[in-house]
Every structure is written in C-alpha cells, then in structure tokens.
Amino acid sequence: MEEITPADSDDGFDQDSEQDLHSFSQSTYPDPDTVVGNPWWSKAHPPSSPAARRDGLLHDLERSHGGSQPKANPDLSPYHVTTSDGSVSQVLETRLANPYLVGRYDHASESDFALPEEDDIDESLSGLSQSSSGDSPTKSQPLTLRRRGRPSGRGRCTESNRSRGGLPRRSQKGIKRGHRKPLEPTNEFKALHAQATMAFIDADYELAEQLTLQAILLNPEMYAAHSLLSEIHTARGDYDKALAALFNGAHTSYRNPEPWFTIARLIIARADDDDHSALRDALYCYNRILVVDPGNIDALHHRAPLRRKLGYKRRAADDYEHLLRLDPHDVDVLRSLAAIYTEMDKPDRAIELYDQSILHYQSVDIQRTSTFSWSDVNIYVELFAYQQRYAEAIMKLKSLSRWLLGRRNDVLWETFSEDDREWDLDDYPRRVLVHGFESGTYPGESYGSGMPLELHVKLGIYRLKSQDRQVEEATARFELLKPHDSSSKARLYDYPDLFRDAADALRDTGFYHEALRYYEPLQEISDSVDTSYYADMAACYKAVGLGTEAGDCFRIIASLENDQSDKTEMLVRTEVDERDKNEAMTASSLENHTTSRVPATLAMLISHQSKQRTRPPDLNRELRARLREETARALYGRTQELLAQAREDNPEAIAQWMANSQELVDDFRAHRGFFPSDKGLRVYGPQQGRDDPELDSAVAAGDYRGIPFSSWLDLMLEYALLAARSHNSTKAYEILKIADDANVFYCSPDSMFLIHVCWFTCALIVNDHETSCSVARWFMKEFQFVTDGYRLFSAVNRLCDGGNSWFNCGPSQKYVLRQLKAMDHSLVGQSQHRISFQEKASYTTRDDEGNPIQASDMDLSLLMLYGYILYLGKSYSLALNYFYRAFALAPTNPTINLSLALAYIQHAFKRQSENRHHLVTQGLTFLFTYYDLRHKSQVQSEQQEADFNVARTYHMLGLTHLAIPYYERCLASQTDRYGNTGVDFAVEAAFALRNIWAADEQMTQVLDKTSKYLMM
C-alpha cells in the first residue's frame, strides 16, 4: 500500500507547493495528517446532516474494530466517540470537524476533477478499516491509502460489463457526476451565523469566531460562514488565517470565480515579485477558475503574466493567443505577445498577429481605431529592427504614421524612398520640391509635426543602421531634439532617453563627434548618467583624441565603482598617447558629414567648433566669438537679400530665407543669458550682477553677433508671419514665444507691443479664435482703462470666423469682470472700499514711478463689453444691469438703446419669464427710441439700418404684417452696394420678404424680390 501523493502540475507544481497551498487549512483546522485522506470522498458522498455523517462513520468504525459497536462518550464533545477498548476515535472527530480534509483537491490537471468509478470509491472507503489490528488510527500512526486507479490486471471495462451505450453498466445506476448542489442550511446554522454576524458588528471577535466555527461544523459547505471567518481574522490583523479561511471556503463555491479572484489578489499583494511560491499559489487559483470556465477573460489576463514571470513563456503565449481568439485585435494582448515572442526569439509570429490586426483597423473608420496608437507603431517596427530588417521597418513606420495622421490615401509618398523629407516639420525647403506635392492639400500637422518625437529618432536610428546608411537623414531627425538648446524648456529635460538612444546609435556607427553632441547635454540630468554612460562617452573622447576628457570620465567611473586608481591612470595614459593620431582624422570626418546638410557658412562654424575641442583649453575665446559673429552676419545678410523675393511668394526664396532664419533663431535661442529661469531677473544690463561679460557687452552695444536687437526682432516677426501664411501656426507661435521670453525684448514696451500685434495678426491669418482672444487680453492688461484696448478685444473676436465660444468663455468673462471691478474700485471713495469690495482691485498698469494707474471715469466700452458677454451667454437679466449703467451715462446712444431693447425681448422668450407682455413692451419702447435716434442722422445707411432692425424685431415676434412695411422702406432706401456710403441691408431685407411671401404662397412676390434683389 502506497501513500497518495499529489500529481505533478503542468505549470511546474510539485509536492512541496501542494503542501504550501494546503497549509492554509492546517492553520485553522486540525492537522490533515491525522486522518485518512481521500480526494474522492466529498464527490461521492455529498454533505449531509451531522447526524447522518456520524451514523455512517460509526458503521465504518464498527467494521474496523472487529464488529464492536462504538458508543458516545458523554465526557467528550458530541462528535467524539469511544470504541470498545476505550480509545477515542480521532477519525470521526476529525471527519466531522473538518470535512475538507476528506475532499482535498490536488491541483494537478483538469482530469483530476472528474468523478471516479464506484470501485475506486469502494476501495478508498475500505482504507478506513484496519483488519490486521483493532487499533484506531492516530496522529502518530496515520492510515495510508492505495494509489488511485485499479490494481494491475484489472481492466476498467470489458465487453461483458459494457452496456449498449458504451458505458460501464454500473455507471447507469443513477449516480450524478460532478459537484452537487449543497443542501439547504439548517435552522441551527442560520441562528449561529446570525449571532456570529452580530458579534462581528459589535467588534466581539472572539465570540464571533467561536460561533462561526460552530456554524461551520454544522454546515461546512456554506461559503458565507468561511467568508465571515475570514473577515473576523482580517479585523484582528491575522491575515494568514484570514487567507486560509477564505481558501478553504472557496472550495465550497465551486462555480463561483470571485473567491478565487479575491484569494489570488491577496496572495499577489502580499508577495514579492521574485516569490515564486506565492506566484504558484496565485496561479493555482486562476487554474481553478479556468477549469470551470475556460473562457474567463479576466482569469486568462491574470494567469498569462504569472506564467511569464514563472518562466512558462510558451504557456503564457498560449493564454494570450487564446485571449486573441476570444477578443480579436486587442492591442494590449498584442503588445504582451510581442514581448514574449521576442524573448522566445520568434518575432515573426508577433509580426503576423500585428499584420492581421492592422488590416482590421485599417478597414474601419479611422475615428474608431483609437485603440491602435503610436505605441503600437513603435512596438511593431521594433519587431523588424530586432531582426535587423531596417528597410522594412522604415517603410512600415512611414506607412502607419501616414495612416494614423489621416493621409492613408496620399499615394504620392508610397513610392518616394529617396529620403525622409515627407516628415520634415515644414513644407519648405524640401517637400515643395517633390513633383506632384501641393501644399495645403492636407493639414500641416499630418506631416512631420504630427509624428511623435520618439518615432523621429527611431527613424534616424534605422537610417544609420540600414544598409545604405544615410547619415544626413539620420542627423536631420536627431536635430529635432535640439541639443544646442540650453534653456530651461529644452527638450533634453523631457526626452533624456531619446538623447541617449541617438548618441548610442551615432557611437555604434562611428560618428563620435556627433555622438558627443548628444552625450554631453545629458550631464545635466543626474538620473540619466551611470557608469555605462561615462564609459560610452569616454570611448567617444578617446576616438576623437580628447585624452584628458576621457581620463576624467574614467576617474568618475572609478569613483562610482570604487576601482583602483592605478588601473584608471593606465587607461588615461593610453588614451593620451593616441590623441594626436586621431585628431586629424576625426576633424576631417566631421567636415565631410556636416557640409552636405547645412549652409556653407554654418558648416564652417560647426567645423571650427568641432576642431576647437581637440585644441588645448587655452584657445583664444575672442577668436571663437569672432567666428560665430561672422557666421551670423553672413546668414543675416543672405536673409536680407532674399526678403523681397520671399514677400512676393517665391517658393524657392521662401524656403531658403526660412532655412537661414531658422539657423539665426536657433543661435539666438541657444544663449542662456537671454532666457533666465527666474522671472524676476528678466531685466538686462550689467547692473544686475550677472557674470556674463559677452552678454553685458552686447547689451551695452545694443546688438548681438553684430546685429542690432531691433533687427533680431524684425527677423523673428517676419519669420512668424511667413510661417502663418504657410498655414504653419505651430512654428509661428514658437518663434513669437521665443521673442516674448527674451529679456532683451521683455523690458522694451515698444518691442512687446510689436510682438503681440504680430501675434494676433498670425492668429487672424490662421483663424485661431482662442489665440486671438488670449493675445487681445494682453492689450487690456497692459493698457488698462484705455477704451481702445476693449474695442480691440471686440474687433478681434468679430474678425475670427469661429462663433462666440471664446468671446464669452469662462476665462474671458472672469477677466473682463476683474477689469470692471478694478474700475469701480478706483472710482468710489476710500470709505466705500471695505463696504463695497471684499477683495483688492487688480491694477495692471503702472506709471514711470511704479504707482498703479487708476481709472479717472467710467468706461462705456467696458460696461457694454461685459454686458455683451452676458447677453451671448443668455443671461439677459444680468446683462440689463450693465446696459442700464451705460444708459445712465449716455441715454441718447443708439447702440445702448438697441441693446436694451433686444435684451428685454430675448428675455421675454425664456421659459421662466413671468410677464412676457410687459417685457416685450419695455423692449419696443427702447427699440423705437433707437429708431428715432437713427433717423435723426443724415447718413442714409444708418436710417436703413434702423428700418431693418425694427422689421427684424417684428419678424422675430411673429408680427409679419408689421415687419413688411419696414422691410419695404429698407428696400426703398437701398444704397449703392459698390460705393462707400456704408453697409447696405437691402439684400437681407429682400431675403426676409421672400421667406414671408413664400410662407404665404405669394409666388409672384417671391419671384419679384428674387429677380430684383437676389440675383447677380
């Protein structure tokens, strides 16, 4: 006879892990080794009442003790029995106290949950008897069972005992297979469970535990009791026992996955990532769920990463592919499969799955493909790069980017593979030279500016590593990182990983000078530097002959790794010896790779800057400054020559002018002194204590690089206007933001005025309503209590064709209200400040002495502006307050009277208006006051305007018989449409009359008005 052992699991479970799992039971219930374990007991014998279970076991004990009848021992609990020899039967006690121990499941495989044959059950039950000795089993002498299965020589089913249906005859006796529905709980269980619940609510955990254990003894198949016991242990802080109780209770709720999910979450939450024993426990829980429900998506989602952590990558991939069959084209699953198949060195399978999903997503509307994102493009092309198929990676990256940016039908670029000009930020200078390309066919954001910066760098890396190795294209992609930018808003601080990737790619391909341009800025980011970083940078310094810098890097590595100093010094001497040999070669290599992609003058500057790295550190600083100044002057002179042609919309001149201007702007932006991080230091001049002689001398002379600051500003504003005319609003705003942040312009009111005039002009060119409103508010802030500032705000909003959403939006309304409060605050006396105002006024304009400028009189334009904002927000009653304030100041103003009239009439149309007739009457009163004031004017167009507005108001009220005479007067006073006498309302009046007659089916009148006034 052999003792039963758990079967091996497909997921790497062994006997030890089985014992770990069932250690939960041992912490709450009696030791399972004291009883005869039988995995099939609870399946063949479903739970019944305690009395029935006791009677059945007493019968077994009678057989095992030679026919002696066991009897109950009154000194023990009702579940302890005494045999004829006086020994207490541990079997019956343990069987009744912990029914799970007779039904322990081993988590080997799905087949272990099938119901065995009756012979198996009988053989298992026969293990309860010990015919050789009459002693009852004890903890020190555990009973053992035979291994599952039949003895050798005994067939499962022969032709003699097989029924016509193909099953053994015994299987047709009505035995129900599988788990059975538990019996209804007894009344005693319900009472104990209710008392335990009340004790738990009262925080009497000891009593609650005792009552719960008694309830479990009565009906152990009730999950609610085990769950309550788990909650009790949790409240005590004994999480191990809580988890054990929940684990035991989960077996009673076989088809309910929630307990297993809860147990798995608790196990993972308390385990470390490298605790494989705990991960196997959690994996067991998900296996139990999937045995019952193989299509449970949540369980598959949790089991797959666990299998991957445990090293079962093949099975993890199977789970993810099963998820793809259940939920096709799930991008999260695709990303996980890409990682697994890459680890398994099978990227082709991941590419195949991605190809199927991409075809699916491209077949539906692009608005519905939000799940497929740029991250998936990045992962997909990396699968090709993993196999060093860089040409295919470049082609796929461009094609998918084109599709995501809405240019899938742009077939022009499908066959264009010479370079990557398609993904330049601007149409000029390269994209416009492609035959068949038409600027403006697609939005500018659907080209280079729409592609993420990560993919730009990826494209450059693939170009470097491809077979043809297009260095110029690669460096053009890397230049988008702007390694020369040293301001506080440089891209270095947002994308240090991209700088490292670009530098590593350049170093791996032998372009050490270019690699150092991306390595060196990373020293500003402490989190991005480690020993490998300094080792790579030292290799570049060594290659270009800078032994001193390489030695510094090795010393840092030695300090980080506590290395020996003599070893480091030896390496340094080796690099210094090779410096002279590599100097000429590296300088020549840089010149060859830079000259072909930048203007000649700038290439010369870069060459000089690169060569000075290999020279001694005492190089004349003035010489370098003079070289940079000469280069900047040459570029500026070239821009002045091309400016006239660029203003005449010459494409080639515009492209060349913008390229040269961009180089100058980059040079200006690279100077840190113009862009201090502290707003309080945005004043230039040597008196500020700044240790920057170059900047101080430039400020004293009023120029930079020999170019006056006013010329720098003109260059930037001209660049912004040309970019706006090319529908590149992003570039235009970027240039203006540079000018706005520069302290040399910030302290000049005239320069700031020109910058913001150009800013809202660019916004009007590209019809950007939001930006125009934002810039117009700057004029109200800088010129507070000036009527023209408020009028400009209204005019800019009138010129934008974007509705009134930004005119009366929340920020605009709050800003104008603050201006209004500041005006009221400055006009009332000091005694009224505390009574009428709860906050201080925000004065934004100051005089030469630094004192705030206050309003001297009430401003009608500001009152009417805020009233119009409220009016457009349909707050008519609130708007009337400010219209009345303006009316009190100018009662004979026609515009104020018309505004009051329309506010009253529009308020009458609202559902919550109380007296509509009174409101309409009030409105008509102001309307005819407006009418009389206009007809006193000698300007014919103003009289025609009054006729049209009265007619339109009657038409709005549905009084068409009163509106028709005023429309006719408007037509009779028609002005010359092509003259300069003002606005002509005849066309609008004729169209309104046409609609009125058409509704009345007066077709003759309709044709007359149409032919006379509405036809060209």
Side-chain angles (χ1 to χ4, degrees):
M1 301 287 286
E2 297 181 26
E3 187 175 357
I4 294 177
T5 59
D8 292 336
S9 170
D10 291 339
D11 287 314
F13 287 105
D14 52 13
Q15 186 172 357
D16 294 335
S17 61
E18 173 75 10
Q19 292 173 0
D20 292 339
L21 288 171
H22 291 289
S23 63
F24 299 139
S25 303
Q26 298 171 9
S27 62
T28 305
Y29 298 103
D31 189 351
D33 293 334
T34 62
V35 298
V36 179
N38 183 2
W40 310 115
W41 177 274
S42 61
K43 299 179 183 180
H45 297 274
S48 58
S49 63
R53 293 199 299 272
R54 185 171 63 251
D55 293 342
L57 290 176
L58 286 173
H59 176 69
D60 291 335
L61 288 173
E62 179 181 358
R63 288 166 44 191
S64 64
H65 289 277
S68 61
Q69 175 68 37
K71 59 183 179 179
N73 188 344
D75 297 331
L76 300 175
S77 66
Y79 303 117
H80 290 70
V81 295
T82 306
T83 59
S84 58
D85 57 358
S87 63
V88 178
S89 175
Q90 294 289 335
V91 174
L92 183 60
E93 175 191 6
T94 309
R95 291 281 184 185
L96 296 175
N98 189 0
Y100 302 111
L101 299 177
V102 302
R104 287 179 60 190
Y105 298 106
D106 58 341
H107 46 284
S109 62
E110 209 170 325
S111 61
D112 292 334
F113 295 98
L115 187 67
E117 302 294 336
E118 275 188 32
D119 291 343
D120 296 336
I121 300 173
D122 294 338
E123 291 170 11
S124 299
L125 292 177
S126 65
L128 291 173
S129 62
Q130 296 288 335
S131 57
S132 60
S133 64
D135 298 334
S136 59
T138 63
K139 183 173 183 179
S140 61
Q141 184 183 355
L143 292 176
T144 57
L145 292 180
R146 295 174 53 187
R147 185 181 299 276
R148 287 200 301 266
R150 289 176 170 74
S152 59
R154 178 177 175 185
R156 174 178 286 276
C157 183
T158 62
E159 295 297 332
S160 60
N161 63 2
R162 188 182 296 278
S163 64
R164 186 174 63 178
L167 295 174
R169 296 186 185 278
R170 279 191 294 272
S171 65
Q172 299 183 5
K173 294 182 180 180
I175 296 178
K176 185 177 181 181
R177 295 176 178 271
H179 289 264
R180 302 184 182 181
K181 184 178 180 181
L183 298 177
E184 291 294 328
T186 62
N187 292 332
E188 186 178 359
F189 171 86
K190 294 179 180 178
L192 288 172
H193 187 266
Q195 295 173 15
T197 303
M198 294 304 299
F200 174 71
I201 294 173
D202 295 337
D204 191 352
Y205 300 129
E206 293 184 3
L207 177 61
E209 182 183 9
Q210 294 176 6
L211 294 172
T212 304
L213 289 173
Q214 294 179 29
I216 291 175
L217 289 174
L218 291 173
N219 284 91
E221 67 277 3
M222 292 298 151
Y223 172 73
H226 298 278
S227 178
L228 178 58
L229 183 60
S230 176
E231 293 292 336
I232 293 171
H233 288 310
T234 302
R236 285 177 166 178
D238 195 344
Y239 299 106
D240 289 334
K241 288 187 177 181
L243 189 58
L246 197 60
F247 179 84
N248 285 302
H251 290 86
T252 67
S253 183
Y254 179 68
R255 295 192 175 275
N256 184 11
E258 291 305 321
W260 295 111
F261 276 120
T262 304
I263 295 170
R265 283 195 298 268
L266 292 174
I267 292 174
I268 294 174
R270 301 185 61 199
D272 298 329
D273 292 337
D274 56 350
D275 188 352
H276 284 199
S277 177
L279 295 180
R280 289 191 182 96
D281 294 346
L283 185 59
Y284 167 72
C285 298
Y286 294 124
N287 286 340
R288 292 301 304 265
I289 298 171
L290 292 169
V291 165
V292 179
D293 182 11
N296 193 306
I297 293 180
D298 291 337
L300 286 170
H301 270 294
H302 286 88
R303 188 174 73 171
L306 285 179
R307 281 181 160 179
R308 183 183 175 191
K309 286 182 180 180
L310 290 169
Y312 312 129
K313 297 176 183 177
R314 177 66 265 175
R315 292 193 175 94
D318 292 340
D319 280 348
Y320 281 124
E321 295 218 22
H322 189 188
L323 283 169
L324 273 186
R325 290 190 291 272
L326 296 174
D327 186 12
H329 316 300
D330 187 339
V331 293
D332 293 327
V333 176
L334 286 172
R335 295 168 187 171
S336 301
L337 279 172
I340 291 177
Y341 280 128
T342 302
E343 294 172 0
M344 297 172 63
D345 199 19
K346 295 181 180 179
D348 287 332
R349 177 56 181 163
I351 291 174
E352 179 185 350
L353 295 173
Y354 257 112
D355 286 338
Q356 296 172 5
S357 297
I358 289 172
L359 288 175
H360 163 74
Y361 285 122
Q362 289 182 340
S363 64
V364 299
D365 185 8
I366 192 172
Q367 300 297 330
R368 296 166 53 193
T369 61
S370 57
T371 54
F372 193 90
S373 62
W374 292 107
S375 298
D376 299 288
V377 176
N378 192 6
I379 294 171
Y380 179 62
V381 298
E382 274 296 292
L383 293 172
F384 290 95
Y386 177 79
Q387 299 176 297
Q388 298 184 359
R389 297 157 58 182
Y390 298 111
E392 294 180 65
I394 293 172
M395 181 187 67
K396 295 292 185 181
L397 191 153
K398 291 183 176 181
S399 176
L400 292 177
S401 300
R402 202 176 296 124
W403 164 56
L404 287 179
L405 292 172
R407 292 191 297 112
R408 187 185 179 190
N409 298 326
D410 191 3
V411 296
L412 171 65
W413 301 102
E414 291 289 344
T415 58
F416 187 87
S417 58
E418 298 177 7
D419 51 42
D420 301 324
R421 68 181 65 189
E422 176 189 3
W423 302 106
D424 290 349
L425 297 185
D426 302 318
D427 293 340
Y428 300 95
R430 298 201 303 170
R431 201 155 51 225
V432 294
L433 301 179
V434 177
H435 178 70
F437 173 76
E438 295 182 3
S439 180
T441 304
Y442 293 95
E445 293 77 11
S446 63
Y447 291 96
S449 59
M451 179 190 285
L453 190 57
E454 292 85 346
L455 294 184
H456 278 288
V457 174
K458 195 81 68 178
L459 184 58
I461 294 173
Y462 295 162
R463 285 294 185 187
L464 271 181
K465 296 184 177 181
S466 60
Q467 188 174 3
D468 52 357
R469 186 172 290 185
Q470 298 184 12
V471 183
E472 293 79 8
E473 290 298 322
T475 52
R477 298 300 110 198
F478 297 155
E479 282 297 319
L480 297 177
L481 293 173
K482 301 179 181 179
H484 54 270
D485 189 0
S486 58
S487 65
S488 59
K489 298 180 181 179
R491 289 181 174 177
L492 168 68
Y493 302 103
D494 295 326
Y495 305 101
D497 55 328
L498 299 184
F499 274 76
R500 184 68 184 272
D501 293 341
D504 290 344
L506 290 166
R507 176 184 55 81
D508 293 340
T509 51
F511 300 99
Y512 301 107
H513 270 296
E514 291 293 328
L516 286 172
R517 294 184 62 220
Y518 299 91
Y519 274 133
E520 290 174 346
L522 285 172
Q523 298 179 74
E524 302 289 336
I525 311 296
S526 58
D527 295 337
S528 300
V529 296
D530 52 13
T531 55
S532 64
Y533 162 77
Y534 285 109
D536 293 338
M537 193 161 61
C540 293
Y541 282 133
K542 175 184 175 182
V544 300
L546 297 178
T548 304
E549 287 80 356
D552 293 338
C553 293
F554 281 114
R555 290 187 185 92
I556 295 174
I557 295 173
S559 64
L560 292 175
E561 295 184 348
N562 295 321
D563 206 349
Q564 296 180 359
S565 60
D566 55 349
K567 180 179 178 181
T568 304
E569 292 297 334
M570 181 181 66
L571 292 172
V572 172
R573 284 195 298 269
T574 302
E575 285 117 29
V576 171
D577 293 338
E578 297 180 0
R579 178 179 59 189
D580 296 335
K581 180 176 62 177
N582 296 328
E583 180 177 355
M585 179 182 65
T586 53
S588 176
S589 174
L590 179 66
E591 290 180 1
N592 293 335
H593 290 305
T594 56
T595 307
S596 58
R597 65 180 179 89
V598 295
T601 52
L602 188 61
M604 180 182 64
L605 172 62
I606 294 176
S607 177
H608 280 292
Q609 289 177 338
S610 63
K611 289 179 181 178
Q612 63 91 18
R613 289 177 177 166
T614 64
R615 297 184 181 184
D618 58 347
L619 180 67
N620 193 340
R621 185 175 181 179
E622 295 181 359
L623 176 60
R624 296 199 308 271
R626 188 169 65 252
L627 289 174
R628 288 193 293 265
E629 183 174 325
E630 291 176 357
T631 302
R633 284 184 179 180
L635 286 173
Y636 181 74
R638 182 59 178 161
T639 58
Q640 294 302 107
E641 295 174 1
L642 295 170
L643 183 58
Q645 300 179 33
R647 288 176 175 175
E648 295 176 358
D649 294 335
N650 186 332
E652 295 182 1
I654 291 175
Q656 189 63 36
W657 188 92
M658 295 181 74
N660 293 337
S661 299
Q662 183 65 53
E663 297 292 342
L664 288 169
V665 171
D666 289 341
D667 182 27
F668 185 88
R669 180 170 49 182
H671 202 295
R672 292 188 179 184
F674 293 148
F675 305 95
S677 58
D678 188 357
K679 297 294 184 182
L681 297 178
R682 299 187 71 175
V683 179
Y684 63 89
Q687 70 276 9
Q688 296 299 318
R690 178 179 53 244
D691 187 13
D692 192 345
E694 183 180 359
L695 180 60
D696 291 340
S697 61
V699 170
D703 59 26
Y704 175 66
R705 304 292 191 210
I707 303 171
F709 287 123
S710 59
S711 299
W712 281 104
L713 180 60
D714 292 340
L715 176 74
M716 294 181 185
L717 299 185
E718 192 75 42
Y719 192 178
L721 289 172
L722 281 176
R725 289 169 55 190
S726 301
H727 305 285
N728 191 351
S729 59
T730 303
K731 175 60 70 175
Y733 296 158
E734 179 185 350
I735 298 299
L736 291 169
K737 189 67 170 63
I738 293 172
D740 183 57
D741 290 340
N743 55 4
V744 292
F745 302 136
Y746 181 82
C747 299
S748 172
D750 293 338
S751 298
M752 295 301 292
F753 182 84
L754 290 175
I755 290 171
H756 286 83
V757 168
C758 181
W759 209 323
F760 79 71
T761 303
C762 292
L764 292 176
I765 291 174
V766 298
N767 197 29
D768 187 352
H769 198 179
E770 179 183 4
T771 303
S772 64
C773 278
S774 178
V775 176
R777 287 201 295 268
W778 180 88
F779 288 94
M780 290 193 292
K781 177 176 73 71
E782 294 297 323
F783 303 94
Q784 194 176 24
F785 309 132
V786 177
T787 302
D788 287 341
Y790 308 125
R791 296 175 65 189
L792 178 64
F793 182 80
S794 301
V796 167
N797 282 275
R798 177 69 178 83
L799 293 174
C800 283
D801 186 14
N804 300 317
S805 57
W806 293 105
F807 175 71
N808 64 331
C809 65
S812 296
Q813 180 178 349
K814 293 176 182 178
Y815 186 82
V816 176
L817 180 59
R818 287 197 298 270
Q819 295 282 313
L820 193 58
K821 288 182 177 179
M823 182 180 66
D824 292 340
H825 186 275
S826 61
L827 292 177
V828 300
Q830 293 291 336
S831 60
Q832 296 293 323
H833 284 174
R834 294 185 179 180
I835 301 174
S836 304
F837 299 94
Q838 299 179 356
E839 57 185 13
K840 294 182 179 180
S842 56
Y843 299 118
T844 59
T845 307
R846 299 183 179 274
D847 56 19
D848 296 337
E849 298 179 358
N851 299 320
I853 299 176
Q854 301 184 7
S856 59
D857 197 1
M858 189 71 66
D859 197 311
L860 282 176
S861 297
L862 180 58
L863 290 170
M864 294 301 293
L865 174 60
Y866 191 65
Y868 289 142
I869 291 175
L870 294 173
Y871 180 91
L872 289 174
K874 298 183 180 181
S875 300
Y876 305 114
S877 59
L878 298 177
L880 284 170
N881 295 328
Y882 296 93
F883 290 156
Y884 266 119
R885 290 182 63 181
F887 179 77
L889 297 174
T892 59
N893 188 302
T895 303
I896 297 175
N897 282 273
L898 178 62
S899 301
L900 283 165
L902 293 177
Y904 270 116
I905 294 174
Q906 291 288 353
H907 187 42
F909 284 131
K910 297 190 71 172
R911 180 176 57 86
Q912 297 178 348
S913 299
E914 296 181 356
N915 193 336
R916 300 177 188 272
H917 296 286
H918 174 73
L919 294 173
V920 171
T921 303
Q922 287 283 91
L924 291 177
T925 301
F926 284 105
L927 180 67
F928 281 102
T929 302
Y930 153 77
Y931 183 81
D932 294 338
L933 291 171
R934 277 303 191 196
H935 270 270
K936 292 179 181 179
S937 174
Q938 302 299 321
V939 181
Q940 185 179 359
S941 61
E942 294 183 355
Q943 297 178 6
Q944 186 191 36
E945 171 204 308
D947 292 327
F948 178 79
N949 284 332
V950 172
R952 187 68 188 86
T953 304
Y954 277 134
H955 196 173
M956 179 174 59
L957 292 170
L959 304 174
T960 56
H961 65 288
L962 297 177
I964 291 174
Y966 287 97
Y967 279 136
E968 294 290 354
R969 293 179 190 176
C970 184
L971 292 176
S973 59
Q974 180 182 11
T975 60
D976 183 9
R977 266 184 278 180
Y978 305 103
N980 296 322
T981 57
V983 180
D984 185 14
F985 295 92
V987 175
E988 288 80 2
F991 184 76
L993 282 173
R994 175 186 175 279
N995 291 338
I996 293 173
W997 296 126
D1000 198 30
E1001 298 183 357
Q1002 300 290 332
M1003 304 309 297
T1004 303
Q1005 295 285 352
V1006 171
L1007 293 174
D1008 178 62
K1009 302 302 180 188
T1010 303
S1011 60
K1012 188 173 182 180
Y1013 297 101
L1014 302 179
M1015 295 182 67
M1016 298 296 294

